[in-house]
Amino acid sequence: MIAPTALFALDTLLTDEEREIRQTVRRVCDKEIRPHVTGWFESGELPARELARALGGIGVLGMHLDGYGCAGLGAVAYGLACLELEAADSGLRSLVSVQGSLAMYAIWKYGSEEQKQEWLPAMAAGERIGCFGLTEPDFGSDPGGMRTTARRDGSDWVLDGTKMWITNGSVSDVAVVWARTDEGVRGFLVPAGTPGFSAHDVKHKVSLRASVTSELVLDGVRLPADAMLPGARGLSGPLGCLNEARFGIVFGAMGAALDCLETAIAYAAERQVFARPLSSYQLTQEKLADMALELGKGLLLAVHLGRLKEAGTLTPEQVSAGKLNNVREALDIARTCRTLLGASGITLEYPVIRHAVNLESVLTYEGTSEIHTLVLGRALTGVAAFH
Ligand SMILES: Cc1cc2nc3c(=O)[nH]c(=O)nc-3n(C[C@H](O)[C@H](O)[C@H](O)COP(=O)(O)OP(=O)(O)OC[C@H]3O[C@@H](n4cnc5c(N)ncnc54)[C@H](O)[C@@H]3O)c2cc1C
């Protein structure tokens, strides 16, 4: 028997350092996350602060950024960390993606030196948590329609509006909020506790339950002039951050798929049906072989895109291709694994159904599968079909 990832000798594409980072993240997941994650999922409660400190301790928060206490590692190393985190739970990878690739990246890329010094080292250490507020109740796929405004009042800014579905929202020390101004969309750093700013958790989720998802309300939030991110003007600011986070999902989704496939292979070997192991039937083997193929291809694609990112040539269309393909295939793998587990597949005793329902969120956030399809359609035809 060989492991699903061994089929394509994926390890031969990785450096020693990348393999070590992957092992380190896996060890922390095994010790700090896997024993508890089903309980967090079931209760819908996450010890986000403790987790952020543990993850900061191994350097995965903003690990692909340089300076300010960040590890400055390559794209593939970051992707592998996402893979291991998402093999534990997509909610944990979401915490890390939003912290590192959305909130920290926005400050790192567009912030002033003072903003970077104030926030990045503490966020890299997991002492402070950030969130990223772009989506609104009426504008998700089309953020250009946003209604949140920031208007000048003397040298201050005053923000009004509502952001929706914001990961880490109520546990954040700082929210990166995107708002419409006279000079186009601009980003603002809103510290928790600022008068007029509040976060309310979304209840009754059946997906990403081991993740905090909140509504942010901005009601006359007054901020000093230096709360604005000076380097971001227009929608390219937030879209640049999303591209970073999507890259992590290309790897992460394959982590969830891998955990499902490993679970299904072990289950099929043990489970007796009609007096023989489930794994001995051709129908089962066809399912396993097909899943191993898609997993292997998805991982190869992820590493390839990672190397392009490291070379500085990765395009947004390539990230869309990776996100679209790998999340779609991961969801397919999770559903097929669920069938192999039969009735047991619907319980939280096994991780498969948890991954499957989590991946429904991953399919939607960071650009829905339809939007990424339209991005590829535009690239192939030269015609934008969004409107
Ligand atoms: C768990 C979770 C966490 C999230 N975290 C964050 C976060 O931290 N920060 C943040 O800003 N946002 C976050 N989001 C929001 C997420 O990015 C949006 O949900 C997503 O962009 C889709 O927006 P929507 O839900 O408003 O759907 P809509 O935009 O209303 O889309 C509804 C459907 O219409 C389709 N559609 C839209 N436009 C077109 C078109 N032109 N042609 C064909 N079909 C189309 C979509 O693909 C989708 O199927 C999160 C969402 C979830 C579920």
Short mmCIF file of all heavy atoms in Angstrom, two decimals, residues 56 59-71 95-111 115-116 119-126 128-132 174 176 189 229 241 244:
data_model
loop_
_atom_site.label_atom_id
_atom_site.label_comp_id
_atom_site.label_asym_id
_atom_site.label_seq_id
_atom_site.Cartn_x
_atom_site.Cartn_y
_atom_site.Cartn_z
N GLY A 56 1.09 31.47 16.24
CA GLY A 56 2.13 32.50 16.18
C GLY A 56 3.46 31.93 16.66
O GLY A 56 4.53 32.25 16.12
N GLY A 59 5.27 30.38 13.99
CA GLY A 59 5.62 31.30 12.90
C GLY A 59 4.75 31.21 11.66
O GLY A 59 5.16 31.65 10.58
N VAL A 60 3.53 30.66 11.77
CA VAL A 60 2.73 30.54 10.54
C VAL A 60 1.86 31.77 10.25
O VAL A 60 1.26 31.87 9.18
CB VAL A 60 1.82 29.29 10.51
CG1 VAL A 60 2.62 28.02 10.55
CG2 VAL A 60 0.78 29.30 11.62
N LEU A 61 1.80 32.72 11.20
CA LEU A 61 0.95 33.90 10.96
C LEU A 61 1.74 34.93 10.16
O LEU A 61 2.73 35.47 10.65
CB LEU A 61 0.46 34.47 12.30
CG LEU A 61 -0.33 33.48 13.17
CD1 LEU A 61 -0.70 34.10 14.51
CD2 LEU A 61 -1.59 33.00 12.44
N GLY A 62 1.32 35.16 8.94
CA GLY A 62 2.06 36.07 8.06
C GLY A 62 3.41 35.50 7.68
O GLY A 62 4.36 36.23 7.43
N MET A 63 3.49 34.17 7.58
CA MET A 63 4.80 33.52 7.41
C MET A 63 5.44 33.82 6.05
O MET A 63 6.65 33.67 5.90
CB MET A 63 4.70 32.00 7.61
CG MET A 63 3.92 31.26 6.57
SD MET A 63 3.74 29.52 7.02
CE MET A 63 5.25 28.81 6.37
N HIS A 64 4.64 34.25 5.08
CA HIS A 64 5.20 34.54 3.75
C HIS A 64 5.55 36.02 3.60
O HIS A 64 5.95 36.45 2.52
CB HIS A 64 4.22 34.10 2.66
CG HIS A 64 2.89 34.76 2.76
ND1 HIS A 64 2.14 34.77 3.91
CD2 HIS A 64 2.16 35.43 1.84
CE1 HIS A 64 1.01 35.42 3.69
NE2 HIS A 64 1.01 35.84 2.45
N LEU A 65 5.42 36.80 4.69
CA LEU A 65 5.76 38.22 4.64
C LEU A 65 7.17 38.42 5.22
O LEU A 65 7.63 37.63 6.04
CB LEU A 65 4.74 39.03 5.44
CG LEU A 65 3.27 38.80 5.06
CD1 LEU A 65 2.35 39.63 5.96
CD2 LEU A 65 3.03 39.14 3.59
N ASP A 66 7.82 39.49 4.78
CA ASP A 66 9.19 39.79 5.25
C ASP A 66 9.16 40.84 6.35
O ASP A 66 8.41 41.81 6.26
CB ASP A 66 10.01 40.39 4.10
CG ASP A 66 10.51 39.30 3.17
OD1 ASP A 66 10.86 38.23 3.67
OD2 ASP A 66 10.52 39.56 1.95
N GLY A 67 10.05 40.71 7.30
CA GLY A 67 10.25 41.75 8.32
C GLY A 67 9.13 41.80 9.34
O GLY A 67 8.19 40.99 9.31
N TYR A 68 9.22 42.72 10.30
CA TYR A 68 8.19 42.96 11.32
C TYR A 68 7.80 41.68 12.06
O TYR A 68 6.63 41.44 12.36
CB TYR A 68 6.93 43.58 10.67
CG TYR A 68 7.24 44.81 9.86
CD1 TYR A 68 7.39 44.73 8.48
CD2 TYR A 68 7.42 46.05 10.48
CE1 TYR A 68 7.71 45.85 7.73
CE2 TYR A 68 7.75 47.18 9.74
CZ TYR A 68 7.88 47.07 8.36
OH TYR A 68 8.20 48.17 7.63
N GLY A 69 8.78 40.84 12.33
CA GLY A 69 8.52 39.61 13.08
C GLY A 69 7.95 38.47 12.26
O GLY A 69 7.62 37.42 12.81
N CYS A 70 7.82 38.67 10.93
CA CYS A 70 7.28 37.60 10.07
C CYS A 70 8.42 36.72 9.56
O CYS A 70 9.56 37.19 9.44
CB CYS A 70 6.51 38.20 8.89
SG CYS A 70 5.20 39.31 9.40
N ALA A 71 8.07 35.47 9.25
CA ALA A 71 9.12 34.49 8.95
C ALA A 71 9.77 34.67 7.58
O ALA A 71 10.88 34.19 7.34
CB ALA A 71 8.55 33.08 9.06
N LEU A 95 -8.67 30.95 9.96
CA LEU A 95 -8.12 31.88 10.96
C LEU A 95 -6.75 32.38 10.50
O LEU A 95 -6.46 33.58 10.51
CB LEU A 95 -8.00 31.16 12.31
CG LEU A 95 -7.67 31.96 13.56
CD1 LEU A 95 -8.06 31.18 14.80
CD2 LEU A 95 -6.23 32.38 13.70
N VAL A 96 -5.93 31.44 10.05
CA VAL A 96 -4.56 31.78 9.64
C VAL A 96 -4.56 32.59 8.34
O VAL A 96 -3.81 33.56 8.19
CB VAL A 96 -3.72 30.48 9.51
CG1 VAL A 96 -2.37 30.76 8.85
CG2 VAL A 96 -3.53 29.86 10.88
N SER A 97 -5.42 32.21 7.39
CA SER A 97 -5.48 32.94 6.11
C SER A 97 -5.90 34.39 6.33
O SER A 97 -5.33 35.31 5.76
CB SER A 97 -6.52 32.32 5.18
OG SER A 97 -6.11 31.10 4.68
N VAL A 98 -6.95 34.56 7.15
CA VAL A 98 -7.46 35.92 7.35
C VAL A 98 -6.43 36.75 8.11
O VAL A 98 -6.17 37.91 7.76
CB VAL A 98 -8.82 35.88 8.08
CG1 VAL A 98 -9.24 37.27 8.51
CG2 VAL A 98 -9.88 35.29 7.15
N GLN A 99 -5.83 36.15 9.13
CA GLN A 99 -4.81 36.89 9.89
C GLN A 99 -3.64 37.27 8.99
O GLN A 99 -3.25 38.43 8.91
CB GLN A 99 -4.33 35.99 11.05
CG GLN A 99 -3.16 36.56 11.84
CD GLN A 99 -3.62 37.46 12.98
OE1 GLN A 99 -4.77 37.86 13.02
NE2 GLN A 99 -2.72 37.78 13.87
N GLY A 100 -3.07 36.26 8.30
CA GLY A 100 -1.80 36.49 7.58
C GLY A 100 -1.98 37.10 6.20
O GLY A 100 -1.30 38.06 5.83
N SER A 101 -2.92 36.53 5.43
CA SER A 101 -3.01 36.93 4.02
C SER A 101 -3.98 38.06 3.77
O SER A 101 -3.92 38.70 2.73
CB SER A 101 -3.44 35.73 3.17
OG SER A 101 -2.38 34.82 3.08
N LEU A 102 -4.91 38.29 4.68
CA LEU A 102 -5.85 39.41 4.47
C LEU A 102 -5.49 40.58 5.39
O LEU A 102 -5.10 41.65 4.91
CB LEU A 102 -7.29 38.95 4.69
CG LEU A 102 -7.84 37.96 3.65
CD1 LEU A 102 -9.27 37.56 3.97
CD2 LEU A 102 -7.75 38.53 2.23
N ALA A 103 -5.58 40.40 6.70
CA ALA A 103 -5.35 41.54 7.60
C ALA A 103 -3.88 41.98 7.60
O ALA A 103 -3.55 43.14 7.34
CB ALA A 103 -5.83 41.19 9.01
N MET A 104 -2.97 41.02 7.88
CA MET A 104 -1.55 41.40 7.95
C MET A 104 -1.04 41.84 6.58
O MET A 104 -0.29 42.81 6.47
CB MET A 104 -0.70 40.24 8.48
CG MET A 104 -0.91 39.95 9.96
SD MET A 104 0.02 38.51 10.52
CE MET A 104 1.69 39.14 10.50
N TYR A 105 -1.43 41.12 5.54
CA TYR A 105 -0.94 41.48 4.20
C TYR A 105 -1.39 42.90 3.84
O TYR A 105 -0.61 43.68 3.27
CB TYR A 105 -1.44 40.49 3.15
CG TYR A 105 -0.94 40.80 1.76
CD1 TYR A 105 0.35 40.40 1.36
CD2 TYR A 105 -1.73 41.50 0.85
CE1 TYR A 105 0.81 40.71 0.09
CE2 TYR A 105 -1.26 41.81 -0.42
CZ TYR A 105 0.01 41.40 -0.80
OH TYR A 105 0.47 41.72 -2.06
N ALA A 106 -2.64 43.26 4.17
CA ALA A 106 -3.13 44.61 3.86
C ALA A 106 -2.25 45.66 4.53
O ALA A 106 -1.88 46.67 3.92
CB ALA A 106 -4.59 44.75 4.30
N ILE A 107 -1.91 45.41 5.80
CA ILE A 107 -1.08 46.39 6.53
C ILE A 107 0.34 46.38 5.97
O ILE A 107 0.96 47.42 5.76
CB ILE A 107 -1.09 46.05 8.05
CG1 ILE A 107 -2.52 46.14 8.60
CG2 ILE A 107 -0.14 46.98 8.81
CD1 ILE A 107 -2.69 45.60 10.02
N TRP A 108 0.86 45.19 5.71
CA TRP A 108 2.24 45.04 5.20
C TRP A 108 2.39 45.70 3.83
O TRP A 108 3.37 46.38 3.55
CB TRP A 108 2.55 43.54 5.13
CG TRP A 108 3.92 43.18 4.66
CD1 TRP A 108 5.06 43.11 5.42
CD2 TRP A 108 4.30 42.82 3.32
NE1 TRP A 108 6.12 42.72 4.64
CE2 TRP A 108 5.68 42.54 3.35
CE3 TRP A 108 3.61 42.70 2.12
CZ2 TRP A 108 6.39 42.15 2.20
CZ3 TRP A 108 4.30 42.31 0.99
CH2 TRP A 108 5.67 42.05 1.04
N LYS A 109 1.38 45.51 2.99
CA LYS A 109 1.48 46.00 1.60
C LYS A 109 1.11 47.48 1.49
O LYS A 109 1.73 48.23 0.73
CB LYS A 109 0.54 45.14 0.73
CG LYS A 109 0.47 45.52 -0.73
CD LYS A 109 1.52 44.81 -1.53
CE LYS A 109 1.41 45.17 -3.01
NZ LYS A 109 2.64 44.90 -3.73
N TYR A 110 0.08 47.89 2.21
CA TYR A 110 -0.48 49.23 1.99
C TYR A 110 -0.32 50.17 3.18
O TYR A 110 -0.69 51.35 3.09
CB TYR A 110 -1.98 49.13 1.67
CG TYR A 110 -2.33 48.17 0.55
CD1 TYR A 110 -3.19 47.10 0.75
CD2 TYR A 110 -1.81 48.36 -0.73
CE1 TYR A 110 -3.52 46.23 -0.28
CE2 TYR A 110 -2.13 47.48 -1.77
CZ TYR A 110 -2.99 46.42 -1.53
OH TYR A 110 -3.31 45.56 -2.56
N GLY A 111 0.18 49.65 4.31
CA GLY A 111 0.22 50.46 5.53
C GLY A 111 1.40 51.41 5.60
O GLY A 111 2.39 51.28 4.86
N GLN A 115 1.98 52.15 11.09
CA GLN A 115 0.95 51.10 11.17
C GLN A 115 1.60 49.72 11.19
O GLN A 115 1.19 48.84 11.95
CB GLN A 115 -0.01 51.21 9.97
CG GLN A 115 -0.91 52.43 10.04
CD GLN A 115 -1.65 52.70 8.72
OE1 GLN A 115 -1.17 52.30 7.65
NE2 GLN A 115 -2.77 53.39 8.80
N LYS A 116 2.62 49.55 10.37
CA LYS A 116 3.31 48.24 10.33
C LYS A 116 3.95 47.93 11.68
O LYS A 116 3.82 46.82 12.20
CB LYS A 116 4.38 48.23 9.24
CG LYS A 116 3.80 48.29 7.84
CD LYS A 116 4.90 48.33 6.80
CE LYS A 116 4.33 48.74 5.46
NZ LYS A 116 5.27 48.74 4.37
N TRP A 119 1.22 47.10 14.42
CA TRP A 119 0.39 45.91 14.37
C TRP A 119 1.11 44.62 14.00
O TRP A 119 0.81 43.54 14.54
CB TRP A 119 -0.77 46.13 13.39
CG TRP A 119 -1.75 47.15 13.87
CD1 TRP A 119 -1.89 48.43 13.42
CD2 TRP A 119 -2.71 47.00 14.93
NE1 TRP A 119 -2.86 49.08 14.11
CE2 TRP A 119 -3.40 48.22 15.05
CE3 TRP A 119 -3.06 45.94 15.79
CZ2 TRP A 119 -4.40 48.43 15.99
CZ3 TRP A 119 -4.07 46.13 16.72
CH2 TRP A 119 -4.72 47.37 16.81
N LEU A 120 2.04 44.67 13.04
CA LEU A 120 2.53 43.41 12.46
C LEU A 120 3.29 42.50 13.43
O LEU A 120 2.99 41.30 13.47
CB LEU A 120 3.38 43.70 11.20
CG LEU A 120 2.57 44.25 10.01
CD1 LEU A 120 3.48 44.51 8.81
CD2 LEU A 120 1.45 43.29 9.62
N PRO A 121 4.23 43.01 14.24
CA PRO A 121 4.94 42.06 15.12
C PRO A 121 3.99 41.35 16.08
O PRO A 121 4.09 40.13 16.29
CB PRO A 121 5.94 42.96 15.87
CG PRO A 121 6.14 44.14 14.96
CD PRO A 121 4.80 44.37 14.31
N ALA A 122 3.03 42.08 16.64
CA ALA A 122 2.10 41.46 17.60
C ALA A 122 1.16 40.49 16.88
O ALA A 122 0.76 39.45 17.45
CB ALA A 122 1.29 42.54 18.32
N MET A 123 0.81 40.79 15.64
CA MET A 123 -0.06 39.88 14.89
C MET A 123 0.71 38.63 14.47
O MET A 123 0.17 37.52 14.48
CB MET A 123 -0.65 40.59 13.67
CG MET A 123 -1.68 41.65 14.07
SD MET A 123 -2.22 42.66 12.67
CE MET A 123 -3.51 41.61 11.98
N ALA A 124 1.98 38.79 14.11
CA ALA A 124 2.80 37.62 13.74
C ALA A 124 2.95 36.68 14.93
O ALA A 124 2.97 35.45 14.79
CB ALA A 124 4.17 38.07 13.24
N ALA A 125 3.03 37.26 16.13
CA ALA A 125 3.19 36.44 17.35
C ALA A 125 1.86 35.85 17.81
O ALA A 125 1.83 35.03 18.73
CB ALA A 125 3.79 37.30 18.45
N GLY A 126 0.76 36.28 17.21
CA GLY A 126 -0.55 35.79 17.64
C GLY A 126 -1.05 36.48 18.89
O GLY A 126 -2.03 36.05 19.50
N ARG A 128 -2.10 39.58 18.85
CA ARG A 128 -3.25 40.36 18.38
C ARG A 128 -3.83 39.69 17.14
O ARG A 128 -3.10 39.12 16.33
CB ARG A 128 -2.81 41.78 18.04
CG ARG A 128 -2.58 42.63 19.28
CD ARG A 128 -1.88 43.89 18.91
NE ARG A 128 -2.13 44.95 19.86
CZ ARG A 128 -1.78 46.22 19.66
NH1 ARG A 128 -1.18 46.58 18.54
NH2 ARG A 128 -2.03 47.13 20.56
N ILE A 129 -5.16 39.79 17.03
CA ILE A 129 -5.85 39.14 15.91
C ILE A 129 -6.46 40.22 15.02
O ILE A 129 -6.89 41.28 15.50
CB ILE A 129 -6.95 38.19 16.45
CG1 ILE A 129 -6.32 37.09 17.32
CG2 ILE A 129 -7.76 37.58 15.32
CD1 ILE A 129 -7.31 36.13 17.94
N GLY A 130 -6.47 39.94 13.71
CA GLY A 130 -7.05 40.89 12.76
C GLY A 130 -8.16 40.25 11.93
O GLY A 130 -8.23 39.02 11.80
N CYS A 131 -9.02 41.09 11.39
CA CYS A 131 -10.02 40.61 10.44
C CYS A 131 -10.04 41.55 9.23
O CYS A 131 -9.35 42.58 9.22
CB CYS A 131 -11.40 40.48 11.09
SG CYS A 131 -12.16 42.05 11.55
N PHE A 132 -10.83 41.17 8.22
CA PHE A 132 -10.81 41.87 6.94
C PHE A 132 -12.25 42.07 6.50
O PHE A 132 -12.94 41.10 6.16
CB PHE A 132 -10.05 40.98 5.95
CG PHE A 132 -9.85 41.53 4.57
CD1 PHE A 132 -8.73 42.29 4.27
CD2 PHE A 132 -10.75 41.22 3.56
CE1 PHE A 132 -8.52 42.76 2.98
CE2 PHE A 132 -10.54 41.69 2.27
CZ PHE A 132 -9.43 42.46 1.98
N VAL A 174 -8.09 44.33 15.66
CA VAL A 174 -8.13 45.35 14.62
C VAL A 174 -8.89 44.81 13.41
O VAL A 174 -8.71 43.65 13.03
CB VAL A 174 -6.71 45.82 14.22
CG1 VAL A 174 -5.90 44.68 13.61
CG2 VAL A 174 -6.76 47.01 13.28
N VAL A 176 -9.56 45.49 9.40
CA VAL A 176 -9.24 46.23 8.17
C VAL A 176 -10.58 46.40 7.46
O VAL A 176 -11.18 45.42 7.02
CB VAL A 176 -8.25 45.44 7.29
CG1 VAL A 176 -8.01 46.17 5.97
CG2 VAL A 176 -6.94 45.20 8.04
N LEU A 189 -7.90 51.10 9.36
CA LEU A 189 -7.65 50.21 10.50
C LEU A 189 -8.54 50.66 11.64
O LEU A 189 -8.38 51.78 12.16
CB LEU A 189 -6.17 50.26 10.90
CG LEU A 189 -5.18 49.84 9.82
CD1 LEU A 189 -3.75 49.82 10.35
CD2 LEU A 189 -5.56 48.46 9.27
N LEU A 229 -5.12 53.34 5.36
CA LEU A 229 -3.94 52.70 4.75
C LEU A 229 -3.51 53.57 3.57
O LEU A 229 -4.25 53.68 2.58
CB LEU A 229 -4.30 51.29 4.25
CG LEU A 229 -4.71 50.26 5.31
CD1 LEU A 229 -5.26 49.00 4.64
CD2 LEU A 229 -3.54 49.92 6.22
N CYS A 241 -5.30 41.65 -1.75
CA CYS A 241 -5.23 40.82 -0.53
C CYS A 241 -5.93 39.49 -0.78
O CYS A 241 -5.44 38.43 -0.38
CB CYS A 241 -5.91 41.52 0.64
SG CYS A 241 -5.23 43.14 1.03
N GLU A 244 -3.91 36.85 -2.37
CA GLU A 244 -2.97 36.19 -1.45
C GLU A 244 -3.67 35.05 -0.72
O GLU A 244 -3.14 33.94 -0.60
CB GLU A 244 -2.47 37.19 -0.41
CG GLU A 244 -1.52 38.21 -0.94
CD GLU A 244 -0.22 37.59 -1.38
OE1 GLU A 244 0.42 36.91 -0.57
OE2 GLU A 244 0.16 37.78 -2.56
#
